[in-house]
Amino acid sequence: MEETSIKPSSRKAIKYRGVECLNCAHPLDLSDRFCAYCGQLNTTKRLTLKDFFSEFILSVFTYDSRFRHTLKDLLFKPGTITRYYVDGKRFHYANPFRFFLSASIFYFIILGALSFFGTEELDSPIVNMNVNEDAIVAIDNALQDSIPNLKGVPAQFNDDIQTAIQEAKKESKRKREENATLKDSLGYKYTAQADMDTLSNISQFFKKFELFRDFYEVTDIDNTAMALDSLKYDKTRLNIWLYDKNYAIERVEKDPLRFINYMASKTPFFLFFFAPFYALFFWLIYSKKRANYMEHLVFIFHIFSWIFVVLLLSLIPDFFISNDNIVAAILLTLIGPFYFYKALRNFYKQNRVITLIKFVFLNIVFMISTSIFALIFFALTAAFY
């Protein structure tokens, strides 16, 4: 009955079937419409223009079907979609890693397009503001001279506080004058390479960076080889790289927004590489559950995908309301914690009290670990900018 519904001209027709898969050479019967080993259609018919476009349209709608099911369950069935996926019900869902990358890349494409059409020439009120320097100096002097006495303590104690503060000011002034004297002759504090080599590796790194930065600002030499020759430093890879960072710093100072956008565009890759480390904490606190490490990782990628989907849905209203991501912030702040709790509950199937305790713990771990990885991510992004 099923074979009679196939058109004689179709590539699926029985007259075009072979006894061996053309893709993997797996043995087939004429009754096999697809290869049981690799899944390719069992047909020997030569490809025509009509067949090509028919398969193209079919593949698009098949992907859209998976995309639609994934999007719907991701939004409205937190944790349940992960449970279905790890239990083997994967036919209707897109690959979690592929979906995460697709959603994040699509988000930045739309964000870039909206930013392009929404860019306006605006005069910065900060840049055009006329600052009364005399007023600033007067306010600063007033603040420095008006150290209030503490109530409820003896006058002698207040005098000691006043004396200590004045001494601290004098010491600070003395150090500033000392540093200024050291830089008077050259305009920067010079440290010879032989002296630099006596320091530890970390101290050398920061000391060299400070020296190269001061030298660049004073001399404005943009040729790295010439600068290192002038400083009498070897042209090692580290020295060349450190001096080249002056150009990156200059670009950031001239156009900080461009650097922020550059760093934001790397966020999907940051989350992609951060997820495996975060999955370790899930594996530890859910060690008694049957879920393995990869299943925890799938759960995390579904959570990250949901975040990007919410950001995507917020782009249009945020574009018309303001450029401050107000809608996205409200949705992530109000719905995010509830969504994460429900996802934990639905996927790991534990009672409310245990889930709530682990929910709080994982949020603390997430904030701490994200801060650490964000600093590393920022440093690496700045290093290769």
Side-chain angles (χ1 to χ4, degrees):
M1 182 67 67
E2 185 181 357
E3 297 292 346
T4 57
S5 62
I6 300 175
K7 295 181 180 179
S9 60
S10 171
R11 300 187 73 215
K12 297 179 182 179
I14 194 168
K15 64 179 180 179
Y16 294 120
R17 294 179 191 170
V19 293
E20 183 182 84
C21 177
L22 299 180
N23 180 56
C24 64
H26 185 74
L28 300 173
D29 293 326
L30 294 180
S31 59
D32 294 329
R33 295 175 60 182
F34 298 92
C35 173
Y37 188 78
C38 69
Q40 178 168 286
L41 180 67
N42 179 17
T43 181
T44 58
K45 183 184 179 184
R46 300 192 65 175
L47 192 65
T48 64
L49 188 64
K50 179 183 177 182
D51 294 330
F52 178 79
F53 281 104
S54 296
E55 290 187 3
F56 170 75
I57 294 172
L58 180 63
S59 65
V60 170
F61 278 102
T62 301
Y63 179 77
D64 285 347
S65 174
R66 290 189 175 190
F67 180 83
R68 186 175 64 252
H69 281 98
T70 303
L71 184 62
K72 178 175 65 69
D73 286 1
L74 188 70
L75 287 173
F76 302 109
K77 294 181 180 180
T80 303
I81 180 176
T82 312
R83 172 52 54 198
Y84 287 163
Y85 191 87
V86 300
D87 284 347
K89 300 177 182 179
R90 303 170 189 167
F91 183 77
H92 293 297
Y93 297 116
N95 181 281
F97 314 111
R98 179 186 176 189
F99 185 86
F100 164 74
L101 290 177
S102 299
S104 57
I105 292 171
F106 191 56
Y107 166 75
F108 284 108
I109 290 174
I110 300 299
L111 179 64
L114 292 176
S115 300
F116 175 79
F117 290 109
T119 302
E120 296 180 0
E121 294 285 341
L122 294 176
D123 293 329
S124 173
I126 298 176
V127 174
N128 295 327
M129 186 184 296
N130 294 321
V131 181
N132 189 329
E133 295 183 3
D134 294 335
I136 293 176
V137 172
I139 293 170
D140 183 58
N141 291 334
L143 289 174
Q144 291 182 5
D145 295 337
S146 59
I147 303 170
N149 291 334
L150 300 176
K151 296 180 179 180
V153 298
Q156 181 61 40
F157 188 71
N158 273 311
D159 291 341
D160 292 340
I161 294 175
Q162 301 284 347
T163 303
I165 292 174
Q166 294 301 329
E167 289 296 328
K169 286 183 178 180
K170 289 179 181 178
E171 179 64 18
S172 178
K173 183 179 180 182
R174 186 188 65 78
K175 288 185 177 180
R176 287 198 302 269
E177 291 174 350
E178 181 181 344
N179 291 333
T181 303
L182 289 170
K183 294 185 178 182
D184 276 345
S185 57
L186 297 173
Y188 55 90
K189 186 179 178 181
Y190 179 73
T191 304
Q193 180 168 294
D195 296 330
M196 190 73 74
D197 292 340
T198 61
L199 303 174
S200 64
N201 291 333
I202 296 177
S203 298
Q204 275 190 52
F205 181 88
F206 289 104
K207 198 77 174 177
K208 282 183 181 180
F209 180 80
E210 182 182 3
L211 171 61
F212 293 170
R213 184 63 188 156
D214 290 342
F215 179 83
Y216 180 81
E217 290 180 341
V218 171
T219 64
D220 202 25
I221 297 177
D222 56 4
N223 186 298
T224 303
M226 186 185 299
L228 293 176
D229 286 338
S230 300
L231 289 165
K232 297 180 181 179
Y233 271 71
D234 296 332
K235 299 183 187 71
T236 62
R237 290 184 179 180
L238 177 61
N239 289 344
I240 293 172
W241 179 82
L242 274 175
Y243 196 85
D244 286 345
K245 288 300 102 184
N246 286 307
Y247 315 138
I249 294 171
E250 197 170 35
R251 291 202 307 272
V252 173
E253 289 176 346
K254 289 180 179 178
D255 192 358
L257 184 60
R258 184 176 182 179
F259 174 70
I260 293 171
N261 291 333
Y262 172 79
M263 190 168 64
S265 67
K266 309 298 180 190
T267 303
F269 303 102
F270 163 69
L271 292 177
F272 188 83
F273 289 106
F274 168 69
F277 294 97
Y278 193 44
L280 287 173
F281 293 99
F282 280 81
W283 181 70
L284 289 172
I285 69 169
Y286 285 103
S287 57
K288 294 182 180 180
K289 303 297 292 182
R290 292 184 177 180
N292 60 27
Y293 177 81
M294 282 305 300
E295 291 169 350
H296 295 307
L297 196 58
V298 169
F299 176 81
I300 291 170
F301 274 111
H302 276 149
I303 297 295
F304 286 167
S305 298
W306 177 83
I307 292 173
F308 274 105
V309 169
V310 171
L311 292 174
L312 264 171
L313 295 175
S314 307
L315 278 178
I316 300 299
D318 269 329
F319 178 75
F320 289 105
I321 296 173
S322 69
N323 292 321
D324 298 327
N325 298 322
I326 294 176
V327 176
I330 292 173
L331 289 177
L332 291 176
T333 303
L334 297 181
I335 303 177
F338 176 75
Y339 182 92
F340 184 43
Y341 167 80
K342 288 295 294 181
L344 290 173
R345 191 99 158 84
N346 291 335
F347 179 59
Y348 293 106
K349 300 294 184 181
Q350 291 186 325
N351 63 58
R352 289 183 175 84
V353 176
I354 298 297
T355 301
L356 187 60
I357 294 172
K358 293 183 177 181
F359 165 80
V360 173
F361 174 75
L362 286 170
N363 272 281
I364 295 172
V365 168
F366 181 78
M367 286 187 290
I368 295 173
S369 56
T370 302
S371 300
I372 296 172
F373 277 94
L375 287 173
I376 298 173
F377 171 68
F378 176 81
L380 291 174
T381 304
F384 294 100
Y385 181 62

